[in-house]
Amino acid sequence: MTTEAPSPTLGDVVAVLERMYDPSWARDWDAVGLVCGDPDTSVRRVLLAVDPAPSVIEEALAWRADLVITHHPLFLRPVHGIPTSTQKGRVIHQLVRGGCALYTAHTNADVAAPGVSDALARVLGLTDLVPLSADDADPTDKVVTFVPDAAVEKVIDALAAAGAGELGEYQRCAWTATGTGTFVQGSGPGPLVGMGEESEAAGAQHRADRAHDADREPGERESVEERRVEMVVPRHRRSAALAALRLAHPYADPSIDVLELAPWSGPRGIGRVGTLGTPTSLREFAMLVAEALPGTAQGVRVAGEPTSVVQRVAVCGGAGDSLFDAVRGSGADVFVTADLRHHPAAELRDRAGEGPPYLVDVAHWASEWPWLAGVANRLEGAMDELGRPIEVHVSTKTTDPWTFRLPSPGGVVR
Ligand SMILES: [Zn+2]
């Protein structure tokens, strides 16, 4: 006999999604998150798609999906109602009647690491990926304190438990160095020197013993060996980290420096730049793009001499023509993106002369579609880990609006 694992609620799934694609990463103009659905209902089946198009909603309802996750928002501009006389209103009514929720991860999924452009870069075989236009890293502090040797591990543990010391995949990162503190003994009780794990009372005794041993008088100079401990802390965890530090530190009034680190490029951002394993002709590279992406009527358009050699490649899922400065700055030989218009593309090529960067233009939908497989894997894996498994499918519907294309008779044929 087997016991079925309990299904997660929509709220559980959304919580996992928002760890992968934090809504706060979305651009100001964007509209991401839950569009419709009750967070308390259970979720067994999830369908992933680029667009919340009618064909995708039909597919979801036919499969009895409980949740559809799309890249593009259903609503980007405010509406005053959702009557079924509008196409978007019909979608909402169909979803609600079918008991199916809708969730959007748009520019927050574009900038995430891994995100939409990572997926595009990986299906093209690019490695050593960095953002094409990096976002600032999350605001971070560095906490510095000075601790007697015996208490160093305890203080580092306490700070780590409060969220300090996380660097990429590494946890409990700290840096220490030994030095000497000095002070002049006043007439009152001195600092609790070298107390370590001792209690307040034991510390007082220790202090008295030391004063006796050293026969130290008020006004005398004292030296103490201490370790300088440095750890990074997300700024939003500052209060919790400092409270934990004070609790774990043996001194009643420890010395603590909090340094606000200057903003710098983080791992997230729009687009990616990476490298092909071997230099390739622009024609061969365009063929590689055509084979790696799902089929569309548009196919792959290229600007540049077919025999030009490319190896460093910039990519941006979706419309990327606002990134041309970043592409030039990145040293990329070629830029793969979608929705390139005549004027920006012509201007970029005019500036480049015969040389790079060349342009490869693909269908918008095709450029973002590779992201869906990665979301399916990560979401299924995360829910399995929570003991709340779900079934995740990628939609089989093509939502690229273009249906056929004719070569232009009399055009330039290369
Ligand atoms: Zn898009």
Side-chain angles (χ1 to χ4, degrees):
M1 186 180 130
T2 56
T3 313
E4 269 202 18
S7 295
T9 64
L10 175 58
D12 295 333
V13 178
V14 167
V16 167
L17 282 168
E18 299 200 339
R19 277 199 294 280
M20 289 159 59
Y21 309 111
D22 190 322
S24 72
W25 301 339
R27 308 292 102 154
D28 293 346
W29 50 264
D30 204 3
V32 301
L34 200 56
V35 181
C36 67
D38 176 352
D40 294 330
T41 55
S42 63
V43 169
R44 281 173 291 271
R45 291 178 171 182
V46 178
L47 186 71
L48 305 182
V50 172
D51 295 293
S55 61
V56 169
I57 305 306
E58 274 166 32
E59 182 186 8
L61 297 179
W63 183 47
R64 297 203 311 280
D66 306 296
L67 169 63
V68 177
I69 300 170
T70 63
H71 182 47
H72 291 146
L74 179 65
F75 298 106
L76 203 48
R77 296 190 193 92
V79 294
H80 299 288
I82 48 165
T84 55
S85 51
T86 64
Q87 188 255 317
K88 292 183 181 194
R90 265 197 308 281
V91 165
I92 292 291
H93 279 261
Q94 275 180 306
L95 285 167
V96 171
R97 267 201 305 270
C100 184
L102 176 64
Y103 184 91
T104 299
H106 191 212
T107 51
N108 48 333
D110 284 327
V111 301
V116 175
S117 292
D118 286 292
L120 173 57
R122 286 187 204 291
V123 296
L124 302 183
L126 305 180
T127 55
D128 304 323
L129 302 179
V130 292
L132 177 55
S133 173
D135 285 1
D136 283 345
D138 293 327
T140 303
D141 294 338
K142 180 172 277 185
V143 171
V144 181
T145 189
F146 303 86
V147 191
D149 224 29
V152 166
E153 295 302 316
K154 183 184 176 190
V155 166
I156 294 175
D157 282 341
L159 278 164
E166 288 190 15
L167 286 173
E169 298 294 304
Y170 299 95
Q171 314 237 313
R172 200 184 176 277
C173 301
W175 189 86
T176 71
T178 303
T180 307
T182 184
F183 59 89
V184 173
Q185 175 78 53
S187 52
L192 304 184
V193 175
M195 230 177 97
E197 298 274 334
E198 299 168 50
S199 68
E200 193 74 30
Q205 182 61 48
H206 184 82
R207 195 165 56 237
D209 291 347
R210 284 179 61 94
H212 176 74
D213 290 348
D215 205 14
R216 176 156 32 80
E217 299 294 330
E220 272 189 48
R221 289 180 190 176
E222 170 83 13
S223 290
V224 194
E225 197 157 279
E226 290 174 329
R227 295 256 291 278
R228 176 187 170 100
V229 176
E230 297 186 5
M231 292 177 87
V232 292
V233 186
R235 193 156 301 151
H236 68 94
R237 299 291 300 163
R238 183 192 288 179
S239 300
L242 294 186
L245 165 53
R246 283 183 207 284
L247 210 59
H249 202 292
Y251 294 175
D253 190 15
S255 165
I256 300 171
D257 299 339
V258 179
L259 313 174
E260 290 196 351
L261 301 183
W264 79 103
S265 296
R268 293 192 302 273
I270 297 279
R272 293 291 183 272
V273 186
T275 309
L276 289 169
T278 50
T280 306
S281 75
L282 184 56
R283 181 195 292 279
E284 276 174 39
F285 176 67
M287 286 164 62
L288 186 157
V289 174
E291 280 163 21
L293 296 183
T296 57
Q298 170 184 326
V300 175
R301 296 190 299 177
V302 186
E305 282 300 318
T307 53
S308 307
V309 174
V310 299
Q311 184 163 28
R312 190 149 173 79
V313 180
V315 303
C316 179
D321 61 12
S322 63
L323 291 164
F324 283 176
D325 284 342
V327 170
R328 279 186 283 262
S330 74
D333 302 314
V334 58
F335 182 36
V336 182
T337 188
D339 292 344
L340 288 182
R341 291 169 297 155
H342 170 83
H343 289 295
E347 220 170 275
L348 175 125
R349 288 304 304 141
D350 287 347
R351 274 181 67 170
E354 293 296 302
Y358 312 108
L359 295 173
V360 171
D361 182 87
V362 299
H364 188 129
W365 168 81
S367 72
E368 296 176 332
W369 186 86
W371 170 67
L372 301 174
V375 181
N377 282 338
R378 291 180 70 199
L379 185 57
E380 272 185 339
M383 298 315 298
D384 279 351
E385 255 176 52
L386 290 175
R388 298 275 190 278
I390 54 174
E391 205 180 335
V392 185
H393 279 189
V394 172
S395 169
T396 56
K397 304 292 176 190
T398 301
T399 54
D400 180 35
W402 306 109
T403 49
F404 70 94
R405 179 179 67 93
L406 300 176
S408 315
V412 176
V413 177
R414 292 184 190 275

